Amino acid sequence: HADDVIRDTARTIAPELSAHQDNIFLNMALFERVDAVFRMRDQLELDAEQQRLLEETHKEFVRSGANLEPEAQARLREINSELATLSQQFQENVLDETNEFELLVTERADLGDLPESLVALAAEEARRRGHDCDECWAFTLQRPSINPFLQYSPNREMRRTMFEGYAMRGDNDNDNDNKVIVQRTVQLRAERAALMGYETHAHYVLSDNMAENPENVYQLLGKVWEPALE
């Protein structure tokens, strides 16, 4: 659900929201109050919920850079702002690629056993996209369209076209290409992780997740890999 106004607003407000969050979590007076309570937690007779809330709040401040030196915090603000802008542009490019794609089917046999309700929707989509034909069906990369087609169509090449259309969004060397955005995003994430004292962005993200570190992720994937291949 988007139009030019919504998208222009999103582009404007993404870095502003990032700055707003930084203004909260890099507010030293506020963090000092949170930190003071955190250091006194063993004397406060907190119940389990209060303890959890305090720990998570304190951790969120720390993971947002509250313990960094002022110069590092200033750089962190710049990184967060640019990442917010890049993320918005990335999403817009994927949205444009999704909306522009279509697969027009003109042979009923290529629909296989697609339910009639979905056949009717595909016919309506073809008319909506300006195709003046008695029997044709348009399929898009939206989930309710692509998933049933991949499931029911017996036409392997058409399924390949649909799958590659979905998988290659933002990687078609056109105005919506995301490769430069991805490259810059990776650079900024790596710099932010280093600022926060982590080896990589993966280490930074996973330190607050169940896996805890990349090594555990690969260990789990290794256990799954062989049975999955079988």
Side-chain angles (χ1 to χ4, degrees):
H1 174 65
D3 57 27
D4 290 342
V5 174
I6 291 175
R7 294 174 66 161
D8 287 344
T9 303
R11 278 191 294 268
T12 300
I13 205 170
E16 293 182 1
L17 287 174
S18 173
H20 177 63
Q21 180 164 314
D22 285 338
N23 287 338
I24 294 172
F25 290 107
L26 298 179
N27 182 322
M28 288 303 94
L30 181 57
F31 176 61
E32 286 172 3
R33 296 178 67 177
V34 173
D35 191 50
V37 178
F38 181 76
R39 285 185 277 108
M40 295 172 55
R41 63 191 182 280
D42 292 337
Q43 292 88 49
L44 297 177
E45 298 182 357
L46 303 177
D47 62 30
E49 291 181 356
Q50 293 169 331
Q51 182 84 7
R52 176 70 171 171
L53 176 61
L54 177 57
E55 290 173 354
E56 288 298 305
T57 301
H58 186 268
K59 181 172 63 176
E60 190 169 11
F61 272 87
V62 173
R63 288 180 60 81
S64 298
N67 279 333
L68 296 179
E69 295 297 323
E71 183 177 343
Q73 287 188 356
R75 177 55 186 151
L76 181 62
R77 286 175 178 271
E78 294 173 351
I79 291 173
N80 289 341
S81 178
E82 187 173 353
L83 282 173
T85 299
L86 289 170
S87 176
Q88 182 62 35
Q89 186 59 57
F90 182 96
Q91 294 175 52
E92 287 192 19
N93 288 345
V94 171
L95 179 62
D96 285 339
E97 294 268 90
T98 301
N99 290 339
E100 290 171 8
F101 179 94
E102 74 167 12
L103 175 70
L104 187 66
V105 178
T106 57
E107 296 293 333
R108 181 65 175 81
D110 290 328
L111 302 182
D113 295 326
L114 189 71
E116 287 303 318
S117 60
L118 298 179
V119 172
L121 286 175
E124 176 60 31
E125 182 67 22
R127 289 190 292 272
R128 191 182 71 81
R129 288 174 174 255
H131 297 291
D132 186 17
C133 44
D134 293 334
E135 280 206 334
C136 61
W137 304 268
F139 292 87
T140 72
L141 299 181
Q142 305 291 348
R143 290 287 190 179
S145 182
I146 181 176
N147 284 6
F149 185 86
L150 292 177
Q151 178 179 351
Y152 289 105
S153 175
N155 189 314
R156 181 179 177 86
E157 286 307 309
M158 284 186 172
R159 295 201 311 273
R160 181 195 301 275
T161 298
M162 288 290 287
F163 174 79
E164 290 181 347
Y166 184 84
M168 296 297 290
R169 291 174 301 168
D171 191 16
N172 293 302
D173 298 319
N174 55 20
D175 290 341
N176 297 322
D177 198 273
N178 274 330
K179 286 191 283 291
V180 173
I181 291 177
V182 169
Q183 193 172 40
R184 180 59 177 161
T185 298
V186 169
Q187 292 171 345
L188 291 170
R189 285 177 170 179
E191 183 182 353
R192 181 174 63 184
L195 276 176
M196 302 298 296
Y198 291 88
E199 183 180 346
T200 68
H201 175 69
H203 286 84
Y204 170 61
V205 171
L206 290 170
S207 66
D208 194 33
N209 283 271
M210 187 168 63
E212 295 184 345
N213 58 62
E215 291 72 27
N216 288 341
V217 172
Y218 284 114
Q219 185 178 14
L220 176 60
L221 290 176
K223 290 180 181 179
V224 174
W225 183 243
E226 292 298 329
L229 287 178
E230 290 296 329

